[in-house]
Amino acid sequence: MRTRPLKVALLGCGVVGSEVARIMTTHADDLAARIGAPVELAGVAVRRPGRVRAGIDPALVTTDATALVKRGDIDVVVEVIGGIEPARGLITTAFEHGASVVSANKALLAEDGPALHQAAEAHGADLYYEAAVAGAIPLVRPLRESLVGDKVNRVLGIVNGTTNFILDRMDTSGAGYAEALDEATALGYAEADPTADVEGFDAAAKAAILAGIAFHTRVSLDQVHREGITEVTAADIRSARRMGCTVKLLAICERAQDGNSVTARVHPAMIPLSHPLASVREAYNAVFVEAEAAGRLMFYGPGAGGSPTASAVLGDLVAACRNKLSGARGPGESAYTQLPVSPTGQAVTRYHISLDVSDKPGVLAQCAMVFAEHGVSIDTVRQQGKAAAPEGAQPGSDAATGSDGEASLVVVTHRATDAALSATVEALRKLDTVRGVASTMRVEGE
Amino acid sequence: MRTRPLKVALLGCGVVGSEVARIMTTHADDLAARIGAPVELAGVAVRRPGRVRAGIDPALVTTDATALVKRGDIDVVVEVIGGIEPARGLITTAFEHGASVVSANKALLAEDGPALHQAAEAHGADLYYEAAVAGAIPLVRPLRESLVGDKVNRVLGIVNGTTNFILDRMDTSGAGYAEALDEATALGYAEADPTADVEGFDAAAKAAILAGIAFHTRVSLDQVHREGITEVTAADIRSARRMGCTVKLLAICERAQDGNSVTARVHPAMIPLSHPLASVREAYNAVFVEAEAAGRLMFYGPGAGGSPTASAVLGDLVAACRNKLSGARGPGESAYTQLPVSPTGQAVTRYHISLDVSDKPGVLAQCAMVFAEHGVSIDTVRQQGKAAAPEGAQPGSDAATGSDGEASLVVVTHRATDAALSATVEALRKLDTVRGVASTMRVEGE
């Protein structure tokens, strides 16, 4: 074994960074044996130097991250700051000074992955980022390496723990969105400003990264259709239950049927309770990968948290260190197929539509005509209201007619393009008898 | 991109080999782009040259595998023959002639992995074997690379599709073992001679491989405790159901609580229906990995079959080819910890024991004394028989007293060492009132 240690600069020492530092210390012998050389924490860049950091030599702590990555003797930079800047500048500087980089930064990878990969390439360095997607779950490496001889057609999964926790709570307790969010915040599953999670930005960044790897095609963040969970209501969850479904925030990356384009989208969707993703509880993540030869694979585990994220960072750190020792390089960006990224309108999906309608005969016929005009086939209709009943639908067991003669109509469609479905909903809104569209939600996983 | 193609020798052209050849042809452009050079099938060694092989140039087919691997211009040898010889000799010869090897051969890897790794090392070649464990499911690479910075404490899973199919059928249809095996054979899930699967040899080989990687310790096949499913009865399955469990053949690799030894075992076990492994149906595989930092991860997918296995082989082939191009090497054997492999007796587990006893008072007390003497605590007891009832147990709803005054006693224990549990069972056998031990089965997954 080589005795001169490999030097690691740690950028950021929050929940993840401090756990990385702790494991590097407590498991130093194991890491050395697995790498083939000892690995040493050469510096830790932080914003607030005053904070007590258990187990970290205060002499290693600096607020000058730039000077640390410019030292010239750093073999690997571990970036767990998050956000776009200063992380981007520091990573680029690290490459320029000969270091490889391990990053957990999904926002940056999604925003600027190609440029970072190019910078790594230009300087013969590695860029690893397993921790950027789904925490400890090995997903980036299996997609980049294990399935590299296969053709991935679909990646579908739960990649945000905060929203899964909220939706799980709404499902199990019947709570509304606001109440479930409060609980998530109180338990530390949601941040004080939960926007990145609940509006789907975090999941969209992961979808962009996953689609890029899976399809060997650059997918930028603004090409990912994004809807969060803030408009999911307790009524939606109840409605899902009546259909034998639950509601999950899904990231879906798909190759079109003709193979000539791809889509990436993040939105809440109803999935059948029998689907394995339906039983993914609390803040866990799970991702299905469908490949031509491999078939359907699922990867499941904790999608966030200090220790799980540190596990992924350390796996990458060992790989980057091994490559440093042997002069090898890990896989770079693979974007040779350059498939067009289609707007989500071309994705084929099903809709669950809940309408508030006038409680009088003829409404169903009028609505059904709108569906037919848009070429959207109806799977099931459930009417809730007195006057509507004679049209033949079964009133729901919990039917309730509004006191002002309002009723509701719940339609589940067959598969159609997202564009046709949203055009249908727009046309329904214009009907005199439709007082409002209470909710629309896609149905997936069948 | 380099234009001189990398040359691949394929040893074996059965279900897996022919699929590897097909994908290499149909996806040649993708493979070239991902490797950075075209990859070419340079020869296919088969036993029976007469068979028609769709899509394979007959000029490539040879019966002289040794000459093929000795050609000297082969970059990567793909071994999908299976079995110990001639596979072992061919792989060793391949290394000697400068080729890297991708193998799907679990029996050989389990039997002789260390020697093969040493031969690869000696010649600066790669040995990849993702396809040897759990088919298409990325498991070897995640354990070898993604989790290499973590400390794996437990690997527990369903790694044999044939036995899972049989047990699943027994569970869903109430069929006995022989009947379910016949169905598996008829549907092609079991081979004409099912011994390797149903006696647990296949799963034991995978357990040896997984334990070796997970614990950085050599685990030989004869160190894996092995029980097959041939003695699992319809009564066991019904008994499991009454406990809210199902029966699965599990491979379990564990680090001892004190961290100083490991065990590996394969046996049928009852697991709660709420456990994710309980819902792994038909011939699917699923493996849990518990690591110190990562927490609990699960990997799920098709564990066998031509296409899924070919997917794993091709992923490894791309990796081996990339390494050839860049002069790098993939991870070698990691067995630095050399932890002792304990006999299974030291594993801590629970037992479900079904006894045929004399149908008279005092039997339960006598049996309970035996458990107490061995320090094994009883969780629940269920008696089925008239005379036994006054001792206070609830007769089962399907209680049946044998016509000759026989009754049954079903005991589920708390956790104890396997050694204490098997000693208890031996002592029970010696009691006059115990006419026989109908079955013993471990209870896992809680």
Side-chain angles (χ1 to χ4, degrees), chain A residues 30 34 150 298 300 311 336, chain B residues 30 34 150 298 311 336:
Chain A
D30 281 316
R34 297 175 193 181
D150 206 333
M298 187 173 82
Y300 167 93
S311 171
Y336 70 93
Chain B
D30 281 315
R34 296 174 194 182
D150 206 334
M298 187 174 82
S311 171
Y336 70 92

Side-chain angles (χ1 to χ4, degrees), chain B residues 249-342:
Chain B
L249 182 70
L250 299 181
I252 305 175
C253 312
E254 279 177 320
R255 194 186 290 275
Q257 293 268 331
D258 64 8
N260 295 330
S261 66
V262 298
T263 55
R265 53 198 165 104
V266 167
H267 54 69
M270 296 182 181
I271 57 169
L273 291 171
S274 59
H275 193 283
L277 290 181
S279 56
V280 176
R281 308 292 305 278
E282 304 198 324
Y284 277 83
N285 283 192
V287 177
F288 267 86
V289 177
E290 295 174 24
E292 195 176 81
R296 262 178 128 201
L297 306 170
M298 187 174 82
F299 303 80
Y300 167 93
S307 288
T309 309
S311 171
V313 166
L314 286 159
D316 281 350
L317 178 62
V318 170
C321 287
R322 281 177 174 171
N323 290 345
K324 276 275 168 188
L325 284 183
S326 66
R329 283 199 59 216
E333 187 190 23
S334 177
Y336 70 92
T337 65
Q338 312 264 21
L339 291 174
V341 183
S342 302

